């Protein structure tokens, strides 16, 4: 049974056209994360929520925003995608913070034309 | 800032033990050490994590050096299904619900039949 679900699995957008990626979880975990992973690189944390408490990584571009309307859902909004934003976007959850195991979704591969 | 260093690639024969090293010489006292692995086109999968003591679970063992500046992930009997990229990650607590997750560049493990 899927625990962390990402939709869509593949997303194509045009340069500068806003796009939203979604993530949902059935684990009732407090923490949700968004990562960006470019080809042959390690995932890079963009931001995370502990409940409604939002934490942005210092080097996450302003072009990337996130929303968490409730425990189960979290969204990644890219306001004006550039060619450099083409990547795999991974959502993950964990029950709590320190030393807590993360459960990853399958990812959404974003293509920017 | 914390930093992790891993070899780019390693090979192992099937059914033999594998030792995957990670250096994290800038680790601080409250940083957790995590290991995840990733298959192509999938999200990362949790393997093991620890703080100070060695850890064992059904997938692997984690050996942490006494000074905590390095750790080794041990797969006791490699199988073909263990072929993946293995990431060593430091989790640093920054205060409140803020955290920093520092990924190594990953080790591509090849298992030879």
């Amino acid at each position: 049974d899927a625990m962390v679900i990402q939709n869509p699995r593949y997303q194509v957008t045009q340069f500068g056209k806003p796009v939203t990626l979604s993530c949902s979880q059935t684990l009732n975990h407090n923490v949700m994360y968004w990562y960006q992973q470019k080809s042959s690189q390690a995932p890079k944390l963009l931001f995370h929520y502990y409940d409604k408490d939002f934490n942005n990584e210092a080097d996450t571009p302003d072009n990337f925003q996130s929303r968490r309307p409730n425990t189960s859902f979290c969204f990644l909004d890219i306001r004006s995608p550039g060619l450099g934003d083409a990547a795999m976007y991974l959502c993950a959850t964990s029950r709590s913070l320190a030393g807590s195991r993360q459960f990853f979704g399958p990812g959404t591969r974003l293509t920017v034309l | 800032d914390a930093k992790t260093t891993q070899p780019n690639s390693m090979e192992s024969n099937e059914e033999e033990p594998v030792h995957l090293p990670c250096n994290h010489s800038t680790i601080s006292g409250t940083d957790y050490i995590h290991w995840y692995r990733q298959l192509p086109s999938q999200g990362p999968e949790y393997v093991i994590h620890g703080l100070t003591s060695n850890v064992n679970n059904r997938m692997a063992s984690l050996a942490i050096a006494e000074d905590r500046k390095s750790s080794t992930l041990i797969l006791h009997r490699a199988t073909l299904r263990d072929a993946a990229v293995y990431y060593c990650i430091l989790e640093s607590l920054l205060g409140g619900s803020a955290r920093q997750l520092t990924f190594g560049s990953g080790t591509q493990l090849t298992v030879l039949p």
Side-chain angles (χ1 to χ4, degrees):
Chain A
D1 292 337
M3 296 182 289
V4 182
I5 302 155
Q6 291 190 244
N7 285 308
R9 294 292 310 277
Y10 300 90
Q11 176 75 57
V12 180
T13 190
Q14 291 182 323
F15 183 94
K17 184 174 180 182
V19 66
T20 294
L21 309 182
S22 75
C23 177
S24 63
Q25 54 137 337
T26 60
L27 297 164
N28 203 35
H29 281 172
N30 291 313
V31 192
M32 295 188 78
Y33 310 78
W34 279 105
Y35 292 86
Q36 179 192 64
Q37 186 175 27
K38 295 188 176 180
S39 182
S40 300
Q41 295 183 19
K44 179 183 178 304
L45 182 64
L46 295 173
F47 22 60
H48 69 276
Y49 279 93
Y50 180 80
D51 196 13
K52 290 190 180 300
D53 191 10
F54 177 71
N55 290 277
N56 199 31
E57 292 299 294
D59 56 356
T60 298
D62 293 340
N63 199 24
F64 291 84
Q65 303 286 317
S66 185
R67 296 170 284 136
R68 188 179 186 187
N70 54 52
T71 299
S72 301
F73 285 87
C74 196
F75 300 97
L76 170 62
D77 300 309
I78 308 176
R79 292 193 294 191
S80 182
L83 299 179
D85 297 327
M88 176 74 84
Y89 290 88
L90 295 160
C91 175
T93 74
S94 65
R95 186 182 305 279
S96 62
L97 289 175
S100 192
R101 169 185 175 179
Q102 291 188 38
F103 293 78
F104 282 82
T108 294
R109 181 162 299 283
L110 178 68
T111 300
V112 181
L113 300 177
Chain B
D1 282 357
K3 182 176 168 61
T4 58
T5 305
Q6 302 178 251
N8 287 334
S9 62
M10 291 186 67
E11 274 188 3
S12 173
N13 293 320
E14 198 176 8
E15 298 191 5
E16 291 190 357
V18 183
H19 291 232
L20 298 166
C22 181
N23 285 318
H24 29 77
S25 58
T26 57
I27 193 170
S28 68
T30 56
D31 290 350
Y32 282 84
I33 302 159
H34 296 259
W35 284 83
Y36 284 74
R37 69 184 185 183
Q38 188 175 25
L39 294 169
S41 299
Q42 294 187 23
E45 175 191 30
Y46 171 82
V47 178
I48 201 165
H49 77 280
L51 184 59
T52 55
S53 303
N54 295 343
V55 184
N56 299 296
N57 66 22
R58 65 176 180 82
M59 286 183 72
S61 295
L62 175 60
I64 302 173
E66 198 167 329
D67 63 4
R68 300 185 72 236
K69 293 185 176 182
S70 65
S71 61
T72 302
L73 177 68
I74 303 165
L75 307 179
H76 296 287
R77 289 180 71 236
T79 70
L80 297 178
R81 288 178 295 178
D82 291 323
V85 177
Y86 286 78
Y87 291 106
C88 171
I89 304 160
L90 288 189
E91 176 193 3
S92 305
L93 306 184
L94 303 179
S97 62
R99 307 152 84 193
Q100 181 179 58
L101 291 163
T102 305
F103 279 69
S105 56
T107 297
Q108 174 68 62
L109 176 65
T110 301
V111 180
L112 305 173

